Amino acid sequence: MDKTTVRLSSIRIHNIKNVENGMITMPNASKKSFTADKAEILGIYGQNGSGKTAVVDVFFFLQKIMIGDSLDEEFGNYIEANSDQAEIQADFNVFKNSVIYEISYHIYLKKIDQTVIIEKETLSSARNEDDKRSNKIVFMNYDRNCADIIFTPKKRLDELAGTNKEILTDLIVAKKLAEKSNCSYIFGESSREVFNKNNTGKFGKYAFLINSLFYFALRDLFVIRNSHSGVITANFILPMAFRIDGNKTGMKGDFVVPLTKPVLLNKGKKEILEAIVEQINTVLYTIIPGLMISIKNYGPQLLDSGEDGWKVELMSHRDGRPDIPIRMESEGIIKIISILNALIQAFGNPSICLVIDELDAGIFEYMLGELLEIFQKSAKGQLIFTSHNLRALEMLETKNIIFSTANPNNRYIRMKNVGGTNNLRNLYIRSITLGGQDEVIYEETDSLKIARAFRKAGRSVRDA
């Protein structure tokens, strides 16, 4: 493998939302397989309020930390209410030529009032080559409470800076800047600049690993949260998750198109939209027979900045019918369009990790199953999703499904007692009613109490 490929192996969560402790392990990691050439799918199922969306939120904040962004104040609301500390540990495999590096990134978070700070972060690695594995060692440990220490172990610091006072000063400044802007020290812009400028010698392999994780978070990790689908449901805007390659990092993000009116775009954004639409149309007409999207160009118009612009609108195109604005299509079709470019990227690129909350929202059950089966058989990247639609349990292999539980201290499990002919959907429903798993996977509700509560509420409405 000539290029560097990064794959998520597992993620552990402590005190985030209603997850006191939970661990998500990808299928390859669960069977201790070091491969990066085939798809990995992980569906997360469970009742409402059992920690599924917490996984997606953790990926969202992990991505921000790993690209050096400042932590938002809103993160304080995600720390478990009865605690002021939380942890995230993400494990990765980095594939480079014939070498596989096992990397663990451990983040310790602390809430002070409503602000969350990174109190400590640790990177450790092991090397696999020619069927030989080294011991996993910590190669960078940052502790905000140790003001007099840049980072440990001292051996790594000496390999990077030695007695060079200029490098040591740069590292101290980078630490101060990271603390002031409330971002990661390891992945902060100033620190990475120092690591990259002095990446020769023994420290070079560690600088390479830090860069590999940074670029994975920047260009290869897609996180599509509920807010993405929410604006579609409101029929207000269409956010299209996209990536377009063309330089070292490519272009990646959400291209937001208003649904209520045409939009003014400069030349660069117009070309990006055209590239996104071209990629989407390659697949869209096979998913929704006969449907393609087009860009209606109303002509040039001067932007407020004085540069040339174009007034455009996304249209729905079907053979033999007049084009109509894309907002007139169903929510399910607009949802598919919004995530399709990201799905295409994950289908063809082994480094892409696509995380989607409520993948099934608005998508026809049979189509959902077909998409997942095709992805499982033919794709190369990683797909992690939450869902309530149980169709996936009939289409995917057992290793590709985990379940959230009613136990906040052990939130995620794989189903046990699954035989070769078991239908996972039937087993899941049977386990809800009869138990038999290591944890309770459904906090039982009482239909008589629910009916009584509705009658009581109905009487109060009539009497008001």
Side-chain angles (χ1 to χ4, degrees):
M1 190 176 297
D2 294 329
K3 64 186 287 291
T4 301
T5 300
V6 180
R7 304 272 284 201
L8 177 77
S9 178
S10 66
I11 189 163
R12 186 172 67 82
I13 305 168
H14 174 61
N15 284 346
I16 303 290
K17 295 180 78 171
N18 63 354
V19 182
E20 291 179 19
N21 283 292
M23 186 165 182
I24 303 295
T25 305
M26 296 301 291
N28 282 353
S30 67
K31 61 182 182 181
K32 293 180 171 51
S33 172
F34 290 99
T35 58
D37 57 348
K38 293 182 180 178
E40 281 188 280
I41 302 180
L42 192 66
I44 307 172
Y45 281 80
Q47 73 181 116
N48 294 329
S50 60
K52 300 187 303 299
T53 296
V55 177
V56 180
D57 291 333
V58 165
F59 275 108
F60 174 76
F61 288 110
L62 176 66
Q63 181 179 45
K64 290 178 72 68
I65 291 169
M66 289 177 62
I67 63 175
D69 278 0
S70 299
L71 279 180
D72 297 331
E73 285 191 10
E74 67 163 321
F75 196 15
N77 299 320
Y78 288 80
I79 304 295
E80 208 274 331
N82 295 320
S83 178
D84 62 356
Q85 294 182 322
E87 294 177 34
I88 302 170
Q89 180 177 323
D91 294 335
F92 305 90
N93 291 327
V94 178
F95 299 80
K96 179 65 174 177
N97 299 324
S98 60
V99 182
I100 304 169
Y101 297 92
E102 298 175 51
I103 312 297
S104 291
Y105 178 45
H106 200 157
I107 312 163
Y108 300 80
L109 301 156
K110 186 173 183 179
K111 181 166 65 175
I112 303 174
D113 297 325
Q114 284 303 306
T115 301
V116 176
I117 64 168
I118 298 175
E119 188 174 40
K120 183 179 176 181
E121 52 183 335
T122 300
L123 272 174
S124 56
S125 71
R127 178 187 175 105
N128 290 272
E129 186 175 15
D130 298 328
D131 296 324
K132 295 179 181 179
R133 181 185 185 274
S134 67
N135 293 327
K136 182 172 279 191
I137 61 166
V138 173
F139 69 86
M140 186 165 288
N141 179 60
Y142 156 79
D143 191 334
R144 186 177 178 129
N145 296 318
C146 298
D148 298 332
I149 299 174
I150 300 174
F151 67 80
T152 57
K154 187 176 183 301
K155 181 178 180 180
R156 299 284 91 82
L157 180 61
D158 290 342
E159 289 173 354
L160 174 63
T163 57
N164 189 314
K165 292 184 178 180
E166 183 179 345
I167 298 176
L168 289 171
T169 300
D170 289 343
L171 289 170
I172 293 170
V173 171
K175 183 175 181 178
K176 296 295 184 184
L177 289 173
E179 292 171 358
K180 183 178 180 180
S181 59
N182 197 20
C183 71
S184 163
Y185 171 70
I186 294 176
F187 293 103
E189 183 179 359
S190 299
S191 303
R192 285 187 296 101
E193 184 178 339
V194 179
F195 301 154
N196 291 332
K197 190 164 62 174
N198 304 280
N199 63 357
T200 57
K202 293 182 178 179
F203 192 81
K205 62 182 177 182
Y206 302 113
F208 158 73
L209 293 175
I210 293 170
N211 268 337
S212 296
L213 295 183
F214 168 76
Y215 283 115
F216 167 79
L218 181 68
R219 67 189 181 189
D220 295 334
L221 178 59
F222 288 83
V223 183
I224 299 177
R225 304 169 83 193
N226 258 334
S227 55
H228 189 100
S229 299
V231 293
I232 294 174
T233 302
N235 206 28
F236 178 57
I237 60 174
L238 167 57
M240 291 185 287
F242 80 96
R243 170 177 158 170
I244 297 174
D245 294 317
N247 52 44
K248 185 177 181 181
T249 60
M251 304 182 68
K252 170 180 167 287
D254 275 347
F255 195 103
V256 178
V257 178
L259 290 173
T260 56
K261 60 182 180 180
V263 61
L264 277 173
L265 301 176
N266 61 23
K267 182 180 178 181
K269 289 184 177 179
K270 177 173 170 287
E271 290 175 351
I272 292 172
L273 180 59
E274 289 169 346
I276 295 170
V277 167
E278 182 180 1
Q279 285 189 355
I280 287 176
N281 279 335
T282 306
V283 177
L284 181 61
Y285 79 97
T286 64
I287 297 176
I288 314 292
L291 175 66
M292 300 182 78
I293 56 176
S294 61
I295 303 172
K296 184 173 182 179
N297 191 339
Y298 290 95
Q301 184 171 324
L302 204 63
L303 300 178
D304 292 341
S305 62
E307 63 179 318
D308 292 335
W310 286 264
K311 188 177 183 181
V312 300
E313 184 174 13
L314 275 185
M315 307 294 285
S316 170
H317 173 80
R318 296 178 190 262
D319 292 338
R321 299 182 189 179
D323 290 357
I324 60 172
I326 198 70
R327 66 176 177 273
M328 304 306 296
E329 292 289 356
S330 70
E331 179 185 335
I333 288 178
I334 296 176
K335 168 73 178 286
I336 291 171
I337 291 170
S338 75
I339 65 173
L340 193 50
N341 187 273
L343 276 171
I344 292 169
Q345 296 296 326
F347 191 89
N349 188 334
S351 268
I352 298 292
C353 180
L354 172 58
V355 184
I356 305 178
D357 199 10
E358 296 191 6
L359 173 62
D360 59 320
I363 299 180
F364 181 50
E365 180 181 41
Y366 186 80
M367 182 190 297
L368 175 66
E370 294 296 297
L371 287 174
L372 291 174
E373 185 177 35
I374 291 168
F375 199 97
Q376 179 178 244
K377 289 180 178 178
S378 306
K380 295 182 179 179
Q382 295 180 303
L383 171 63
I384 302 170
F385 68 93
T386 71
S387 176
H388 294 285
N389 190 310
L390 302 185
R391 172 69 171 164
L393 275 58
E394 300 174 326
M395 305 302 294
L396 298 177
E397 297 176 17
T398 305
K399 66 181 181 180
N400 298 118
I401 302 292
I402 63 171
F403 298 91
S404 55
T405 75
N407 181 2
N409 206 37
N410 185 23
R411 270 298 183 199
Y412 312 105
I413 62 171
R414 278 185 166 83
M415 200 73 72
K416 68 176 186 178
N417 302 324
V418 182
T421 58
N422 277 105
N423 182 314
L424 191 57
R425 177 176 183 152
N426 293 340
L427 179 61
Y428 179 46
I429 294 173
R430 188 162 65 247
S431 298
I432 288 175
T433 56
L434 301 177
Q437 300 300 320
D438 292 334
E439 298 284 354
V440 175
I441 57 175
Y442 185 80
E443 201 164 3
E444 192 171 353
T445 54
D446 188 322
S447 58
L448 293 176
K449 288 184 179 179
I450 294 172
R452 192 180 303 120
F454 269 109
R455 286 195 295 271
K456 182 179 180 181
R459 286 195 298 270
S460 67
V461 170
R462 289 196 302 271
D463 296 340

